[in-house]
Amino acid sequence: MALRSEERSEELDAYMVTWKLEREFGGMTTVCTQRAGLFAQRYGRSFIVTFNRDPKLSQTVEDLVARGKLDPKVQVLNIYSFLAQHDITAQDRIPERKAQPEHQDFELQHTVYYGDEPQLAFSQSSSAGPDAATTQLRFLRKDGSTFLLDTRFTDTTGKNRRIVEVLDRAGNITARFPSAASLYRHWLSQLADRDNTLVVVDSKYTASMLGSWETKIVPKLYAFHSVHVTKGESLLTGELSDPHSPVIAQRKLWDGFVFLTEGQRAIYNRRFGDADTTFVIPNPLKSSAVTPVVEGQDAPERKPTQLIAAGSLTTNKNVAAAIKVVAELVRRGHAPVLHVVGQGSQREKLEQLCAKLGVEDAVIFHGFSDKLPTFFATCTAQLFTSSNEGQALVLLEAQAQGCVPISFDINFGPADSIQDSVNGFLVPAGDITRMADRAEQLMTDPQLAAQLSANARKFAQEYASRDLVSLWEETMSIASKIKQLGARQEVPEFSARLKSVEFLERGALKISVAHKAKLPRDTGFELVIVQRDNEAEVKVYAASEFDEQQAVFTIDVAGVKAARTQEKPTDVFLRMRVGSSMLMKRLGVENSRVLPYFTSHNNLSFKPEK
């Protein structure tokens, strides 16, 4: 059932779609709830949509509101809670079951009760058959009637089957689906597929189920909260991260991808194109992070030797590097104190590292704390040592309290918040010595520390004042217009195999590349010479001719010289464009047991077979 028209905002309804909402949650859900809060403050209400089975959801929401983690104007809509109270519009034609479970003698195995009324059953788990392989979940309203049946079994051909059926209060089936995901899509369409509506999908897991959600009106937007390439892989051609891979594979089914930083968007566009349907909107910064710890009074005393590393204690956060920085400072004769605020699976290993380096007394593990602003207000510097980030709000939270961040200069995130030597420091990734140098500067030069602290606070305040709601509205408007133009073209599968190299006058080259791709309308090919270390483009050459088998390129003398004069090796890629979309592949050769190569004396040789 769609929401009644009198219940809708006259201006805009914003739906933030995630998998679940719990009492304690991480960064992605934090952003989701904070964004929903911004829209609720602007329009009087907004929505968070969830799909997990949670009989205690109402109590969770009350708890989050009471603790200030959820704006009271934000409405949480869960598929199971919704169906327990509302009827959805019946399907025009209810599909027939494609198969029937062989065994239907269901026996009750387990009952789950409503959290706010524990005497009432929320769901009942049953099984049937000699091996209990056929299962059924029955969900009940508080009046005892069934609102959903979820049956799983294996048919006579050995295929796994699922039947999800929605029932009205009279027990009549009003809708039937072959999967839970198809029910979710059906429900979302009735909730949100209309004018003046924003839908933002935050959860990667949920996004994998909503790629095939076909909306008629509302643009479907996905928000990237982390880097889309597996750690250590090439940003241009490397393996995509497991969670993001299925989303990007279905990119033509989405109306827009929203990135946290311009750097993330730029590297995605270099690889896939689609610049017209990618956007940059940073995460909101909660007001409590910007507000001085003691409103209207001077901040708590900031001690020059106090340092902080804040975040989950996981491998990616790399707190071990911060501990090594402290050990280096101790070796130099200083007396730093590192406050480690956060919890995670790496704590025991980090404590062992402290013992190994002899800095147990210099590192204090606080675990999780909701007093992070106070920690930042009393520490001179934040050591940010992550190896991989999307956008690190914790940097801005530190800056808001005048704590100067010293960060590894990794891809995406730190450079968007830190202007080196102005409101913080950027040091080469993994460089313990350089990070220790910067921390030593702040600890021993109070004038420098005070200046960077003031600059950091000013930057965070300006960041927090940005109108992110308007950015989302603008993105929604652009995505809506593009959606009205119809489906976008996809880049077909192609190869990138060197077919021949011809040596022209004065050192120019003519290169033929076999691609074997079907050529849609508006197709083009480019040969791209890329620096190996930072993947910057050195030269780009459009194909002088191409057909469905190969593309031909001429690299002039200037291009050869540009490649040869780089400090480090350059690599060659084939880029195929179809309209606004594109894809790059590293240029190689067909598998061969013997490969010729040129010696340093420009003589042709063959490598021995290994």
Side-chain angles (χ1 to χ4, degrees):
M1 181 187 77
L3 294 175
R4 297 192 301 272
S5 58
E6 62 267 28
E7 295 177 320
R8 297 175 183 167
S9 164
E10 292 182 0
E11 298 182 75
L12 185 142
D13 274 343
Y15 292 84
M16 309 303 151
V17 184
T18 188
W19 177 248
K20 61 184 176 181
L21 191 62
E22 297 177 303
R23 280 184 166 83
E24 301 296 340
F25 44 73
M28 185 275 289
T29 307
T30 298
V31 171
C32 177
T33 57
Q34 290 176 359
R35 189 193 311 123
L38 292 178
F39 279 92
Q41 290 300 315
R42 176 72 56 89
Y43 291 110
R45 73 175 192 170
S46 65
F47 306 90
I48 293 178
V49 179
T50 66
F51 302 99
N52 68 316
R53 301 191 296 267
D54 187 358
K56 299 181 180 179
L57 180 61
S58 61
Q59 296 145 290
T60 298
V61 172
E62 290 176 3
D63 176 73
L64 294 176
V65 171
R67 291 159 54 202
K69 301 190 75 172
L70 183 67
D71 191 297
K73 296 179 182 178
V74 175
Q75 300 179 30
V76 179
L77 302 176
N78 173 268
I79 178 68
Y80 295 94
S81 299
F82 188 92
L83 292 178
Q85 301 175 55
H86 305 281
D87 291 329
I88 62 172
T89 303
Q91 291 174 319
D92 294 334
R93 185 182 65 83
I94 298 175
E96 296 291 333
R97 289 186 172 189
K98 294 183 178 180
Q100 295 282 3
E102 180 182 0
H103 302 283
Q104 301 190 38
D105 52 335
F106 289 102
E107 294 185 5
L108 181 63
Q109 302 294 329
H110 181 63
T111 300
V112 175
Y113 296 90
Y114 280 94
D116 55 348
E117 297 188 55
Q119 76 279 11
L120 300 178
F122 170 75
S123 66
Q124 296 174 332
S125 304
S126 302
S127 61
D131 54 358
T134 300
T135 63
Q136 186 175 82
L137 264 175
R138 179 183 297 271
F139 295 89
L140 301 103
R141 301 179 181 90
K142 289 186 176 181
D143 64 6
S145 62
T146 299
F147 67 81
L148 189 71
L149 283 174
D150 186 351
T151 308
R152 303 185 193 212
F153 61 97
T154 303
D155 66 17
T156 55
T157 67
K159 183 177 181 179
N160 292 329
R161 296 282 187 178
R162 190 171 184 180
I163 302 172
V164 181
E165 297 169 318
V166 181
L167 291 77
D168 62 19
R169 293 181 184 275
N172 300 311
I173 295 174
T174 58
R176 179 179 289 132
F177 305 94
S179 67
S182 53
L183 166 61
Y184 304 158
R185 295 190 289 266
H186 177 84
W187 177 58
L188 270 179
S189 291
Q190 295 190 29
L191 278 180
D193 194 6
R194 46 188 168 77
D195 292 324
N196 300 321
T197 303
L198 170 70
V199 171
V200 183
V201 180
D202 283 288
S203 160
K204 297 180 284 289
Y205 176 67
T206 305
S208 66
M209 294 184 287
L210 297 182
S212 56
W213 177 34
E214 297 181 3
T215 63
K216 296 179 180 179
I217 300 172
V218 66
K220 188 175 62 176
L221 304 175
Y222 173 68
F224 280 81
H225 290 268
S226 57
V227 182
H228 57 279
V229 180
T230 300
K231 179 182 174 182
E233 292 280 338
S234 164
L235 297 175
L236 293 179
T237 59
E239 182 180 355
L240 299 174
S241 64
D242 289 340
H244 284 131
S245 180
V247 180
I248 294 177
Q250 295 183 316
R251 58 190 177 277
K252 296 306 174 185
L253 301 178
W254 291 85
D255 298 303
F257 283 167
V258 181
F259 296 92
L260 296 173
T261 69
E262 188 58 52
Q264 281 179 280
R265 176 181 183 267
I267 203 65
Y268 175 91
N269 290 157
R270 282 187 63 194
R271 181 164 179 174
F272 299 107
D274 298 332
D276 52 344
T277 56
T278 56
F279 309 89
V280 176
I281 304 178
N283 282 333
L285 187 62
K286 56 187 177 183
S287 58
S288 62
V290 185
T291 305
V293 171
V294 182
E295 188 69 48
Q297 302 178 24
D298 292 335
E301 180 184 0
R302 194 184 306 279
K303 300 177 181 178
T305 59
Q306 303 294 299
L307 310 174
I308 182 172
S312 57
L313 305 186
T314 60
T315 304
N316 180 58
K317 297 302 181 182
N318 193 24
V319 176
I323 293 172
K324 293 175 183 177
V325 169
V326 169
E328 172 62 19
L329 291 170
V330 170
R331 188 191 67 79
R332 297 180 186 184
H334 299 288
V337 176
L338 177 66
H339 299 274
V340 179
V341 183
Q343 57 190 11
S345 59
Q346 292 290 303
R347 176 161 178 168
E348 184 177 349
K349 289 184 178 180
L350 294 172
E351 290 174 334
Q352 292 172 353
L353 177 62
C354 291
K356 179 180 178 181
L357 297 177
V359 292
E360 305 102 307
D361 296 336
V363 180
I364 303 173
F365 290 87
H366 295 274
F368 171 80
S369 174
D370 57 2
K371 305 293 185 183
L372 194 54
T374 301
F375 278 103
F376 285 138
T378 57
C379 290
T380 292
Q382 174 196 32
L383 304 184
F384 189 79
T385 51
S386 288
S387 56
N388 200 16
E389 283 292 340
Q391 181 195 22
L393 284 181
V394 73
L395 289 172
L396 285 155
E397 293 175 4
Q399 289 173 314
Q401 299 299 336
C403 182
V404 181
I406 308 173
S407 173
F408 287 157
D409 190 10
I410 57 176
N411 281 323
F412 317 126
D416 290 271
S417 302
I418 300 173
Q419 186 177 353
D420 187 43
S421 300
V422 176
N423 63 359
F425 290 115
L426 294 171
V427 302
D431 194 331
I432 302 297
T433 301
R434 188 74 64 86
M435 183 170 280
D437 291 342
R438 293 306 198 184
E440 187 175 36
Q441 279 185 273
L442 293 174
M443 292 167 59
T444 58
D445 188 341
Q447 185 175 355
L448 174 67
Q451 183 60 58
L452 265 65
S453 176
N455 293 343
R457 191 188 300 275
K458 180 181 178 182
F459 176 82
Q461 290 171 342
E462 291 174 350
Y463 177 97
S465 67
R466 286 186 287 185
D467 188 353
L468 299 185
V469 169
S470 293
L471 286 177
W472 279 105
E473 291 172 338
E474 181 182 356
T475 296
M476 180 191 71
S477 177
I478 295 172
S480 294
K481 292 176 181 178
I482 294 174
K483 183 180 183 67
Q484 294 170 7
L485 298 176
R488 292 167 287 153
Q489 289 182 292
E490 291 190 51
V491 178
E493 181 58 33
F494 68 98
S495 59
R497 292 289 177 257
L498 182 65
K499 187 176 181 181
S500 66
V501 177
E502 182 179 350
F503 297 90
L504 306 179
E505 294 182 358
R506 299 179 182 177
L509 300 173
K510 185 176 183 180
I511 295 178
S512 297
V513 180
H515 61 77
K516 300 178 182 178
K518 295 182 179 179
L519 303 183
R521 187 165 49 90
D522 298 330
T523 295
F525 288 96
E526 295 170 331
L527 204 68
V528 187
I529 302 174
V530 175
Q531 286 184 347
R532 182 175 297 176
D533 57 345
N534 60 13
E535 298 184 326
E537 293 183 4
V538 176
K539 284 285 186 176
V540 178
Y541 292 92
S544 56
E545 58 182 279
F546 63 87
D547 55 28
E548 292 196 350
Q549 295 297 317
Q550 67 175 3
V552 179
F553 304 88
T554 300
I555 301 180
D556 56 19
V557 176
V560 174
K561 183 177 180 180
R564 291 182 58 191
T565 54
Q566 299 296 312
E567 291 185 3
K568 295 188 178 181
T570 53
D571 299 316
V572 183
F573 293 80
L574 178 66
R575 180 158 61 199
M576 183 178 183
R577 292 184 180 270
V578 179
S580 64
S581 301
M582 65 184 185
L583 196 61
M584 290 178 64
K585 291 191 176 183
R586 179 79 180 271
L587 183 61
V589 297
E590 297 289 350
N591 291 335
S592 174
R593 299 181 68 85
V594 288
L595 293 176
Y597 70 100
F598 291 99
T599 69
S600 59
H601 300 288
N602 292 327
N603 297 318
L604 190 64
S605 298
F606 283 94
K607 289 186 177 181
E609 186 174 325
K610 294 183 179 180

